[in-house]
Amino acid sequence: MYNLIIYAYLLGVAIYSCFNEKVRKMWRGERDAFGVLREKVDPKARYVWFHAASLGEFEQGRPLMEELRRVHPELKILLTFFSPSGYEVRKDYDGADIICYLPLDTIRNARRFLRLIRPEMAFFIKYEFWYNYLHILKHRGVPAYSVSSIFREGQVFFRWYGRQYGRVLKCFTHFYVQNEKSRELLATIGIQDVTVVGDTRFDRVLQIKDRAKDLPLVKSFVGDSRKVFVVGSSWEPDEDIYIPYFADKDWKLIVATHVVSEERVSLLQQRFEQQRKQVIRYTEADKKSAMLPICDVLIIDCYGLLSSIYGFGQVSYVGGGFGVSIHNTLEAAVWGIPVIFGPENQKFQEAQGLKECRGGFEIRNGQDFSQLMDRFCADDAFLAESGKQAGAYVASLAGATEKILSDVKFERGEKK
């Protein structure tokens, strides 16, 4: 049944690629992957394979790859992606020796891929359960590890109708899961090779903070006279919440939109200008640097800066919580500032942890937001303590990378 679904999906992707640029990139990338491998694979090298679906999973796997390269420089790293949103952003990442798309999970593709690479071991990040690849890895005696994985009762593996597909989990040599609940769920289907280590994203955001970019334009904008509110991954429903509040407030705002496009940025700029705010875009700031100190709003209309920009804020807001789901709260919390987000956060363990320690705050409407911000404005001690709790939460859960790599033996790809 699984293979029938895969072939139907393959046909659907081929058709849809004629109409969608993102799908077309994925379709071409998967077809080109074997050519990339034939050209770049060194038959004498020892490869460790990391697979990440997209950019978020890559960030979770990155601390592992970089620490592995540091400790075992004799090993080469193959990094594969499923989504263009991961591959297109990180295709030039210098922490891997080969980067390509992962061909779709057919038996033929899996055999060809593994015959070319002959990995000593494989790491699948978070939700990656490729049935044919994993079964062939197990058949060939190649250790496969699931890292930063997290499981919930509603997932197909724990339903009566998903037990057959759930056999794929028994192909893993070991699971390094985020929490105790995941370990308990896996035990209900007979899987015992499980260690609770936490989430490597905590290691990654601490790493990002330590390597934060120097941003002189942002420094010039911020100055030292006012408090700064930083918004990451802003969507229109989020803007309906926070923009009205700041109409008459003496705060500076730095806003990174989730989608960077001329239409999206222009609409956001117009909303602020209707409040008589002085607005400047980051990509234009170098030419208008004299205006930066007197501007009220800086719109980040490019990618790759947000994780460093949070360090300029006194309060942060992470968008998406009034849509599908919130985005990365840890990038903000690591800087020791409180994090505000919308109600769609239940699937994110880190959001629940931030709420419990009072370093993160869920708001459901504009009134909630106004009340919370009024308290931050009026109570410096509350603001400072909230930020302290957010930073301490991140620091307390770091260390998953070291736990995983200390538990895996690399001489012959065997687990201790």
Side-chain angles (χ1 to χ4, degrees):
M1 178 62 72
Y2 176 84
N3 287 315
L4 287 175
I5 293 172
I6 286 294
Y7 280 110
Y9 176 79
L10 187 62
L11 177 61
V13 168
I15 295 171
Y16 194 41
S17 67
C18 298
F19 308 99
N20 184 282
E21 178 63 23
K22 182 177 179 180
V23 175
R24 185 156 54 249
K25 286 181 179 179
M26 182 179 72
W27 174 244
R28 290 173 178 170
E30 289 177 359
R31 288 187 298 169
D32 293 343
F34 290 113
V36 172
L37 295 174
R38 282 192 295 268
E39 176 186 347
K40 295 187 176 182
V41 168
D42 179 354
K44 297 180 181 179
R46 299 167 58 198
Y47 284 95
V48 177
W49 171 27
F50 285 84
H51 177 65
S54 191
L55 191 58
E57 290 79 11
F58 164 79
E59 291 296 335
Q60 286 179 290
R62 185 170 178 168
L64 286 168
M65 287 184 278
E66 294 184 356
E67 183 64 11
L68 174 61
R69 184 177 285 280
R70 186 185 71 82
V71 177
H72 293 281
E74 75 280 6
L75 299 174
K76 289 187 177 294
I77 293 175
L78 164 68
L79 170 62
T80 58
F81 287 98
F82 174 71
S83 169
S85 59
Y87 175 79
E88 295 298 330
V89 175
R90 295 302 182 191
K91 59 186 176 183
D92 297 319
Y93 171 59
D94 60 7
D97 298 281
I98 303 174
I99 303 173
C100 65
Y101 283 91
L102 182 62
L104 202 62
D105 191 24
T106 66
I107 295 174
R108 181 171 180 268
N109 282 347
R111 285 173 176 166
R112 288 180 66 195
F113 181 90
L114 295 172
R115 194 179 298 124
L116 280 166
I117 296 299
R118 300 186 181 277
E120 293 201 0
M121 64 182 64
F123 291 86
F124 290 78
I125 314 299
K126 199 173 182 178
Y127 291 134
E128 293 302 280
F129 311 109
W130 293 61
Y131 192 91
N132 290 313
Y133 281 98
L134 283 163
H135 274 85
I136 295 172
L137 284 170
K138 183 178 181 180
H139 177 74
R140 295 185 178 186
V142 179
Y145 304 106
S146 178
V147 298
S148 288
S149 44
I150 188 166
F151 294 91
R152 301 179 183 86
E153 291 180 359
Q155 287 174 301
V156 64
F157 314 112
F158 311 109
R159 301 287 188 174
W160 63 266
Y161 54 81
R163 289 301 171 93
Q164 183 174 1
Y165 175 66
R167 294 174 186 170
V168 68
L169 300 182
K170 296 186 177 180
C171 294
F172 284 102
T173 306
H174 203 84
F175 287 85
Y176 295 98
V177 298
Q178 293 188 30
N179 57 22
E180 181 64 24
K181 180 64 175 178
S182 296
R183 189 195 66 77
E184 293 171 356
L185 283 170
L186 290 170
T188 66
I189 56 174
I191 295 175
Q192 302 295 335
D193 292 319
V194 183
T195 304
V196 180
V197 298
D199 190 345
T200 52
R201 281 186 301 167
F202 290 88
D203 300 326
R204 177 59 185 151
V205 294
L206 284 164
Q207 187 183 71
I208 290 171
K209 181 185 176 186
D210 289 341
R211 303 175 185 176
K213 297 173 181 176
D214 182 34
L215 300 171
L217 294 175
V218 180
K219 289 179 183 177
S220 179
F221 167 77
V222 169
D224 58 3
S225 59
R226 288 193 275 179
K227 291 181 178 178
V228 179
F229 185 77
V230 179
V231 184
S233 297
S234 181
W235 294 78
E236 288 189 53
D238 302 304
E239 290 148 19
D240 293 339
I241 296 289
Y242 68 80
I243 288 180
Y245 178 82
F246 289 102
D248 59 351
K249 300 295 189 299
D250 190 30
W251 282 61
K252 288 209 167 192
L253 275 69
I254 305 176
V255 182
T257 61
H258 181 70
V259 176
V260 177
S261 67
E262 178 56 33
E263 179 183 10
R264 183 76 180 85
V265 172
S266 293
L267 287 172
L268 179 59
Q269 184 170 344
Q270 288 171 17
R271 292 192 67 170
F272 283 116
E273 288 175 343
Q274 286 170 0
Q275 296 181 341
R276 300 185 181 279
K277 298 286 187 183
Q278 290 277 354
V279 183
I280 190 167
R281 302 185 187 191
Y282 184 85
T283 56
E284 299 174 352
D286 193 36
K287 298 177 182 178
K288 303 177 181 179
S289 58
M291 291 181 57
L292 281 167
I294 62 171
C295 284
D296 305 295
V297 181
L298 175 63
I299 297 178
I300 308 302
D301 55 343
C302 57
Y303 294 111
L305 303 180
L306 180 60
S307 57
S308 297
I309 285 173
Y310 280 122
F312 292 94
Q314 278 71 53
V315 179
S316 65
Y317 181 102
V318 175
F322 290 91
V324 177
S325 61
I326 58 170
H327 299 287
N328 193 335
T329 56
L330 297 180
E331 286 186 345
V334 72
W335 288 99
I337 59 175
V339 188
I340 304 172
F341 41 81
E344 294 299 325
N345 62 69
Q346 301 306 312
K347 293 182 179 180
F348 296 87
Q349 181 176 268
E350 64 276 14
Q352 309 316 307
L354 284 167
K355 288 193 291 184
E356 288 174 11
C357 76
R358 301 298 292 167
F361 300 86
E362 176 186 312
I363 53 110
R364 293 185 170 273
N365 50 49
Q367 182 179 359
D368 287 352
F369 179 79
S370 296
Q371 289 175 350
L372 178 60
M373 285 301 302
D374 283 347
R375 187 174 179 189
F376 282 142
C377 292
D379 190 342
D380 288 341
F382 174 64
L383 175 61
E385 180 61 22
S386 299
K388 179 181 177 181
Q389 291 300 324
Y393 171 73
V394 176
S396 70
L397 293 175
T401 299
E402 182 179 353
K403 292 174 185 175
I404 294 168
L405 293 183
S406 66
D407 195 47
V408 175
K409 192 173 181 180
F410 288 91
E411 281 79 0
R412 292 185 180 179
E414 301 165 344
K415 186 173 185 302
K416 292 180 180 178

